[in-house]
Every structure is written in C-alpha cells, then in structure tokens.
Amino acid sequence: MQQPPKVKQKKAPSMWLALVILAVAALAALALVLLLPQLVPPAEQLYPDPEVVLTFQTLDISDAAQLDSITIQHAAGDSYTLRYKDGALYLEENGQLLDINDSYSEEFIAAATTIAVENTVAEDAAQVEEHLAEMGLAPAQTTVRVRYVDGKTNVLEIGAGVPLTTYSYYRWSGDPGVYMCDVGIAEIFALEANRLMPVEQPVLDAGLADRVEIRNTFGDLTMQFTVNEQGISTATLVQPVCYPMSSSATSAMITVLDSLRLGTLLGDLTEENRAQYGFDQPLCTVDIHQQEGFHAQVNGDGQLIAQMMPAQQFRFVFGCLEEEFFYTCAYEGKVYLVSRFLVEPWIAAKADSLLTARPADMGTAQISDIQVETQTGSLHVQIDYVERVMENNELELDAEGNEIYDLVAVCNGESIPADQAQALVDRITAMGVSGSVPTGWKPETENPRWRIVLTTIGGTSRTLEAYRLDAFSDALAVDGVIMHYCYVEALASAMGEMMP
C-alpha cells in the first residue's frame, strides 16, 4: 500500500533573525516619521486661504454743499439742468426752478459728488480704445457735467451695461481710466426730465371708501364696504353675487386702498401712446367711490389733523406690465408706473376667491350677540367686553398695544364663564363650508333646519340658515344667499356642550 508523501517540516526562525527584522522595522518607522513633514504638506499648503481682491474703490469725493449744477445729456439728444439750492436739486426750466422728487434729488447728489467704481477695465482708455464704442462710451450714452461754485467741473460718462453683471461702463474727467459703476448710477442719470417731477397722490382713505368696482380679465366685480362704530371694515361682494367676502380678501382690498401710491410719471396719456402703454386693452379698471367724511393727515408742522373730505370718485386703469415689477396706470389723463405687488389684488381678483369659506367669521369685529334656533330648541348668548383697568387707573394693553378686555357673558338669562363664551365664539367663527351647492338649487321648504344670527359690537349682523341638501349635508344660506354647503354635523360641532 502506497504511503502518503511526507511533508517537510519548516524550521522556526532563529531568535537573532527575529531581532534583526524588528530592528529594521523600527528604523523604517523612525525614518517615516522624520520624513512625514516633507511627504505631507501642512494644511495651509493643501488648502491655502483664498485671497479676497476688493475691486470697489472711491476715486474722488466732493463737498455736496459746494454744488452749483448738474447738466445731463443723453445720446438721444435730450438734456436738462438741475440747480442746487438749500440742500436740494431743482429742475431748471424756462428760468424757473421746479421741485423734483426728494428721493431723486438725494440720489443725484450722491452719484455726482462721490466718484465710486466697482471695478477697473483699464488704467488708461488708450489700452481699450478700439472697444470704447462697444462699451457705449464712444460716444457715451449719458454725459453728466457736475459744476461747483468754485469753478471746478467733473464730467462723467456712462456707457452700456457690462454683460452678466449689474454694472455699467464708466469714465470721469479726473482720471484716464475706464471703469465699471453700479447700475443704480447709470439708471438715475438715465432718467428723463419729465420723470423727475414729484407726483401728487390721490387722497384715498379705506375708512371712507364704500364701493369698489373692478373690471379685469376674470370679469366684473363690485364690492361694498361698511365701517362700524369701532372703525372696523367689513366687505360684501354685490356683483356678480351678493355674498360676504372673506376676512383675508377684505384685508387685502383695504391694504390696497390705504397704500396705493402712484409712482414715476411717464407723461400725458394720448391717442398716440395708448397702445404703447397697454390702454387699448387694459388689464384692469378700478372705480372707487369715497363718501364724505374726516380724513386724518399730517400737516406741514408734523401735527396729525382731521380734515373734512367731500364725496369723491376715483378711476385707475392698469394697462400692461412694465419693467417686470410695475404696471402702467392711467389716472386723470396722465400715465404713471405703480408697484405690481401693491395692486396685484385688484389685477388678479376673482369672485370665487373673494367669497368667505367661513361665513360666521366677522373678521376683527367682536361678536356681542349670538342667537341660535334649531328644530328642538333655542339659545341666546349676550357678551359684554369690559376694558381691563390697572391699579393706576390706566387701561391694560397687550404686547402690541391693543386694549385687553374681560368677557361678561349671559346665556338665556344666566351667567356663564367667560372662557365658555369665548370658546363658543371661536368654534362658530371657525365653522367652514365644504363645497359649492349645484347651480340653481333651491330648498324644498321655507323652514331651515337651524338658524344663527350674529351681531357685532358695532351693530353689523349676519344670518346663517341651513337647509337639507342630502343625507350628509346642508345648504347654507348667508343673509339669504345660498352658495355653499356644510356637513350636517357642523352646527353640533360649533355649539359643543351648548347645543340647544
């Protein structure tokens, strides 16, 4: 029988050989440690700090108080002169000095007396002479001559915009170089004389405006505004349907009325420029009726006074979008720019988006009376709001400066806790609709399943009535108009433990 081959046994390394290997490894490790700084550069070499190169520089500053005049010449051929007097600039026209917009005056003075540049194109224009025309500097798009009372004159030349930047090409007579200036400097000097005039603003007062009619691309809308004794406004859409507006829509419309400002005057509205400014097919027309009443304003002495205003009618026509952030606006025969964001609620107004989805929500008005009638009982809650007086006999105010009130409530002639009454108000005003009732639907009976009558401190009232729509929902009539439905549990959820 064949025997398996014998495996030759390996001899273990001798002790001296192991010591030699260990010593060699230690020397190698020591060498690596000594060489490590050379093999791996320090962090500052791997990731050097970036060098920030600041290109902005101020080349010259002159005393604004020594200004005499600023003459602006545009490549299109128009020019005008601004005279400095008593810290402000005035437009010189036919020997007269006319007021200009205060903000423009400040910008002109700053841009003319401080020669500040954002970057340098060339230290000497001769280096880029063949490109000056491309930069809009041969000839310059705008030439500005700044004269001082001591005879000194600076000439500024502003060219085209620098591609892919917010700068414009720029030169000034005190230096041979070609620079870049902020686009704001180019824009202020690019203004034509007719755009400098201060704009007389229409005196709009949301507290006096009682009717607003809007005709936009979505249809015709008419809104009626009422102000109660507390000065709180509520709004009702009366065309194309008579229905309460939501508190957010009401607030948005009031904000436009209170803050509308005409911007830059573009000139007279003429038959020749109607189409240019979009008035051949305007985006929106707004007619505002303002009733007679007192309007608060600040007089020349800085005092707040109340001035009696007559009943007035205003019309604003918005033509087209201009320069992305503005609309053209025609008012009393002239064309202005107005902020796009300011008047967007008028431009985008739609009937469906104005209607309230919480018909018991009376906005910021405080509800003082709640009457509920169901097929099984009734409930009458009366709420008084008592001003909270501190020990020093001053009214207590919250963090926003509003007066703090304590509620005193009575339900069917018996006192109830204030927090219970407040919770009832909160639940009722939060009650929302769930959808729209089919067009033309009418209730089969004149008797509603339930009725709520709400009255505010200022005397504004609203009546909600529910009629059976189907097994799951009730059609909701708001002051007699049915637009929406709510689920059959809506009243029980709103009344809670106080359900009649």
Side-chain angles (χ1 to χ4, degrees), residues 211-282:
R211 189 177 182 87
V212 176
E213 299 177 9
I214 298 175
R215 290 179 294 284
N216 60 20
T217 56
F218 302 107
D220 295 354
L221 307 169
T222 301
M223 293 170 279
Q224 196 79 37
F225 292 83
T226 58
V227 181
N228 64 20
E229 295 176 356
Q230 293 181 301
I232 297 173
S233 297
T234 56
T236 302
L237 186 68
V238 296
Q239 184 187 352
V241 64
C242 186
Y243 204 81
M245 289 169 50
S246 68
S247 56
S248 60
T250 301
S251 177
M253 294 300 165
I254 290 174
T255 297
V256 179
L257 289 169
D258 268 338
S259 51
L260 176 65
R261 295 293 181 272
L262 299 174
T264 300
L265 173 64
L266 300 181
D268 293 332
L269 177 62
T270 65
E271 288 300 323
E272 290 73 22
N273 63 23
R274 289 184 65 85
Q276 173 189 346
Y277 292 128
F279 297 118
D280 53 338
Q281 293 181 324

Side-chain angles (χ1 to χ4, degrees), residues 119-422:
N119 211 330
T120 302
V121 177
E123 297 290 345
D124 194 315
Q127 298 174 295
V128 290
E129 185 174 0
E130 67 274 18
H131 300 294
L132 291 179
E134 300 171 31
M135 299 178 191
L137 292 172
Q141 294 190 358
T142 303
T143 302
V144 182
R145 286 178 172 79
V146 185
R147 297 180 178 88
Y148 294 87
V149 293
D150 61 1
K152 171 186 171 182
T153 299
N154 277 337
V155 178
L156 314 179
E157 293 181 326
I158 302 169
V162 181
L164 305 178
T165 73
T166 57
Y167 305 147
S168 294
Y169 292 109
Y170 178 86
R171 297 190 66 192
W172 77 295
S173 55
D175 190 296
V178 177
Y179 299 94
M180 300 179 192
C181 69
D182 185 87
V183 69
I185 295 175
E187 289 177 348
I188 187 65
F189 287 130
L191 290 175
E192 297 177 356
N194 65 334
R195 300 184 66 171
L196 305 181
M197 298 295 97
V199 175
E200 184 176 352
Q201 300 294 339
V203 183
L204 287 174
D205 189 322
L208 298 178
D210 57 357
R211 189 177 182 87
V212 176
E213 299 177 9
I214 298 175
R215 290 179 294 284
N216 60 20
T217 56
F218 302 107
D220 295 354
L221 307 169
T222 301
M223 293 170 279
Q224 196 79 37
F225 292 83
T226 58
V227 181
N228 64 20
E229 295 176 356
Q230 293 181 301
I232 297 173
S233 297
T234 56
T236 302
L237 186 68
V238 296
Q239 184 187 352
V241 64
C242 186
Y243 204 81
M245 289 169 50
S246 68
S247 56
S248 60
T250 301
S251 177
M253 294 300 165
I254 290 174
T255 297
V256 179
L257 289 169
D258 268 338
S259 51
L260 176 65
R261 295 293 181 272
L262 299 174
T264 300
L265 173 64
L266 300 181
D268 293 332
L269 177 62
T270 65
E271 288 300 323
E272 290 73 22
N273 63 23
R274 289 184 65 85
Q276 173 189 346
Y277 292 128
F279 297 118
D280 53 338
Q281 293 181 324
L283 293 173
C284 180
T285 300
V286 180
D287 289 289
I288 303 167
H289 180 265
Q290 198 161 277
Q291 60 188 334
E292 181 184 43
F294 285 100
H295 169 72
Q297 64 179 16
V298 179
N299 64 14
D301 298 326
Q303 297 175 325
L304 184 65
I305 61 172
Q307 181 181 7
M308 174 60 74
M309 301 293 295
Q312 298 179 79
Q313 189 78 27
F314 302 90
R315 168 170 285 193
F316 302 93
V317 182
F318 301 96
C320 63
L321 190 62
E322 185 84 6
E323 301 176 8
E324 187 178 357
F325 300 112
F326 301 95
Y327 286 116
T328 57
C329 175
Y331 174 70
E332 294 191 342
K334 295 187 180 298
V335 183
Y336 303 85
L337 294 179
V338 296
S339 168
R340 174 183 179 182
F341 305 104
L342 188 64
V343 299
E344 196 68 33
W346 286 348
I347 306 293
K350 299 186 207 178
D352 291 346
S353 63
L354 297 176
L355 302 182
T356 182
R358 296 167 56 182
D361 183 3
M362 306 286 278
T364 56
Q366 295 169 317
I367 294 176
S368 62
D369 194 280
I370 304 172
Q371 298 181 54
V372 181
E373 296 178 9
T374 70
Q375 295 174 339
T376 58
S378 63
L379 174 144
H380 185 195
V381 176
Q382 297 167 292
I383 304 173
D384 288 330
Y385 296 83
V386 181
E387 297 169 335
R388 189 179 297 178
V389 182
M390 299 185 293
E391 294 181 356
N392 59 1
N393 289 326
E394 292 185 0
L395 297 178
E396 186 173 350
L397 306 177
D398 61 18
E400 298 178 353
N402 301 314
E403 295 178 4
I404 298 176
Y405 295 90
D406 291 319
L407 273 64
V408 178
V410 175
C411 178
N412 291 342
E414 297 184 3
S415 297
I416 60 173
D419 57 352
Q420 186 180 20
Q422 184 63 62

Side-chain angles (χ1 to χ4, degrees), residues 419-433:
D419 57 352
Q420 186 180 20
Q422 184 63 62
L424 175 64
V425 171
D426 292 342
R427 291 196 302 267
I428 288 179
T429 55
M431 181 174 62
V433 299

Side-chain angles (χ1 to χ4, degrees), residues 43-44 46-54:
E44 58 267 20
L46 284 175
Y47 310 104
D49 290 336
E51 293 184 7
V52 179
V53 179
L54 300 177

